[in-house]
Amino acid sequence: MVNDKKQFENKAVLVIDDEPMMRKLLGGLLHDIGFTNVYEAEDGAEALKRLETSSDIDVVLCDLEMPIIGGLEFVGMLRSSKAALNPQVPVLIVTGHGLQKNVRDAVNLGIHGFLVKPVSRKALEDRIVRALKSSAIDPDVLTRKKEAAVAATSVISTPKVYEHKKK
């Protein structure tokens, strides 16, 4: 897919990460794919304040492990917020911890995507496009995919039993 930078030029993204270098890296990738409005927050508390006073954010990129309010807590608070101007804004988790429990917990809170660091430009762009066009990930779909993967793995990894024929 050829990137059409115009699809993002009037969109705003909020990057939430306690590491300044990661915010800068993600900001650079976001500018490369066409975002002109990139905002930053050091933690979930700062991000919630921003989302309570402004409705201009189209998508949020959020780290999991941060001081004060971490990523999972942030998403839970945002989704249940009466003060946030857009509590259903698409949220993508961007983390160095891709444990299945983290993915499942985040999906249950209503995220739109999950990326494991280091993040490629293409993966970031693809997830953002998908998040802007669809609703949050359905936890039931995630469960069915996991069950299908386990079933496929058990079929593939089942050892063959060889019978030795007597001559």
Side-chain angles (χ1 to χ4, degrees):
M1 163 173 105
V2 175
N3 177 9
D4 176 14
K5 289 187 174 191
K6 291 184 184 254
Q7 68 182 326
F8 300 123
E9 72 182 356
N10 294 318
K11 303 277 185 205
V13 61
L14 176 61
V15 178
I16 313 166
D17 199 302
D18 58 322
E19 294 292 329
M21 187 54 113
M22 185 52 65
R23 290 193 310 269
K24 184 176 181 172
L25 175 70
L26 288 171
L29 289 172
L30 291 162
H31 283 291
D32 285 350
I33 64 173
F35 279 93
T36 53
N37 302 308
V38 179
Y39 303 100
E40 298 180 1
E42 292 183 17
D43 58 55
E46 185 180 333
L48 283 170
K49 286 179 190 170
R50 167 75 190 208
L51 293 166
E52 289 171 358
T53 60
S54 178
S55 63
D56 66 338
I57 303 299
D58 296 292
V59 65
V60 174
L61 304 181
C62 183
D63 187 23
L64 276 183
E65 293 189 18
M66 298 177 290
I68 304 175
I69 295 178
L72 292 176
E73 188 178 4
F74 162 77
V75 176
M77 293 171 76
L78 173 64
R79 295 298 186 233
S80 64
S81 175
K82 302 258 189 272
L85 298 176
N86 183 5
Q88 298 307 314
V89 63
V91 175
L92 298 172
I93 296 295
V94 183
T95 183
H97 306 282
L99 301 172
Q100 274 198 332
K101 180 185 180 336
N102 290 340
V103 174
R104 185 178 57 251
D105 290 348
V107 166
N108 286 334
L109 290 170
I111 65 160
H112 289 71
F114 198 99
L115 290 157
V116 178
K117 297 173 187 174
V119 176
S120 75
R121 180 181 179 270
K122 174 142 179 44
L124 180 63
E125 181 178 359
D126 290 349
R127 291 297 190 317
I128 290 173
V129 167
R130 196 175 315 145
L132 290 171
K133 291 181 178 179
S134 62
S135 57
I137 298 169
D138 181 350
D140 292 334
V141 170
L142 185 69
T143 301
R144 287 191 302 271
K145 284 183 179 179
K146 181 181 175 190
E147 289 169 356
V150 168
T153 302
S154 64
V155 169
I156 292 169
S157 64
T158 303
K160 288 186 176 182
V161 177
Y162 294 97
E163 292 181 19
H164 294 284
K165 294 183 180 179
K166 292 183 179 179
K167 292 185 178 184

